[in-house]
Amino acid sequence: MLIFVISAIDFHMPPICSPIVRPGRPAEASPMVSKQLSNTISSSRMTDLKELSLVSGKAAWMAYLDIYCLDADGALFDAALLSAIAALSHLQIPSIAMNDDGKIVLVSDEDGQKRAQEPVNKEKRKLTLRSIPFSLTCILHKNYILADPTAEEESIMETHVTVVLDTSGQLISLYKPGGPVLAYTSAIQDCAALTRQRVKELNNFLDKANSAMEV
Amino acid sequence: MAGKGGATPATYSPSPTTNRKKKPPIFKEDWVRPDGRGFHQCRPAFFRTGAVNAASGSAYAEFGNTKVIVSVFGPRESKKAMMYSDIGRLNCNVSFTTFATPIRGQGSDHKEYCAMLHKALEGAIILETFPKTTVDVFALVLESSGSDLPVVISCASLALADAGIMMYDIVASVSVSCFNKNLVIDPILEEEIGQDGSLMITCMPSRYEITQLTVTGEWSTTKINEGMQLCLDACAKLAKIMRSCLKEVASDSQE
């Protein structure tokens, strides 16, 4: 029997983030970004879900990914994806063991030495992330391409293109939700080129942030 | 955690192993606060305004590990269903992130915080200055580590000032917990769980006026007086920090 690990990905837009969002009713963008994130993270195959398995066929970790938008100022998906990647790269899976009732319990260092029972995983470990996806949202307006738009720019110009590439330069997803401007092949290629450049910047930025955390 | 078995639910958080050392009872004579503070010592406070660009005014506050962000929108048009009003309306909302508490999603228990925030602020705002309109105050608790409401109130007051909403004075709020004969100021989550009673004061320090006083548990008259004095002194100090934060921003913008 296999256990499938579901990562619950939720993108929240609390009322603090924008004058448009009111308490009680979720923002329109919220479920769309959640779905987009879920699709991107699963299709990029950056995490091996087997790593989240504890006891084959019996127990596995369930990862909850909650992303909160504090200030909605455009390109929400790009910021959400970057924060999701940063959170996953910082994630530490704790050391645990299975007790006599077949229930998983956390193990401290002292307990680990005393236990006759072998811990399921002996020490805290990080998830192995490979081919990390990064995205860039562009706005198409007449003959112009505006990269990384603000909320004001997004409200004026309606045609968005979001390109997601991984660190090896492979295309993970391309998202163009309608809009009055038609995206020609050349425009898509230009957006992809801008994204490629952005991926390098963001990857360096993430590496620096992670190394600063470890110090 | 996903799993299968008799009494074990489908998903659960792994519990710590049982043979942990028991913590000393919180009310013993030689008891030391978990974070090493003195009984009458507040956590280090940090304030910053202008945290959210989309809002008319906003503030971020950090008291130890308690982190709060507040946005103020307006004055803006009231909802159509509302009747005409000579004075402005104040609308408050407090929400918690799912990761604010050690157990996921536990923060949503505090439904009364919205009403308490409203009551604490409405006495300090000059509502006559924005008739027919509404000012929305939205707070989000990023991390809950005790004394959440006082931090939310103080942060909201700073956000209102940042938004240029006319107020009689800045509003500062501090709470005190009672353990047997001991009074502990600005309690953390661990202390709030074991407290015998709590007292929260929200005041306008310059005017020496109280906008809200909340007492829970058993208190003697002398203890209440002592607790109130403790809170008022702390509020005065807190208001100084809040004012210096606003002055800093004002001097930066002038330059």
Side-chain angles (χ1 to χ4, degrees), chain A residues 16 58 60 66 71 104 106 111, chain B residues 2-3 12 15 17 53 71 104:
Chain A
I16 67 156
K58 284 188 180 175
D66 289 294
D71 193 350
I104 298 289
L106 292 172
D111 296 334
Chain B
Y12 63 93
S15 54
T17 43
N53 291 317
S71 288
R104 189 177 183 271

Side-chain angles (χ1 to χ4, degrees), chain A residues 84-128:
Chain A
I85 301 302
L88 287 169
S89 62
H90 186 244
L91 171 69
Q92 283 196 318
I93 297 171
S95 176
I96 47 97
M98 192 178 273
N99 67 10
D100 303 330
D101 309 330
K103 208 173 181 184
I104 298 289
V105 288
L106 292 172
V107 178
S108 71
D109 295 336
E110 307 150 32
D111 296 334
Q113 288 159 9
K114 287 176 194 170
R115 288 186 81 87
Q117 204 170 5
E118 191 70 18
V120 177
N121 57 308
K122 287 177 185 172
E123 53 190 32
K124 277 188 179 181
R125 59 188 172 88
K126 285 197 164 192
L127 275 180
T128 312

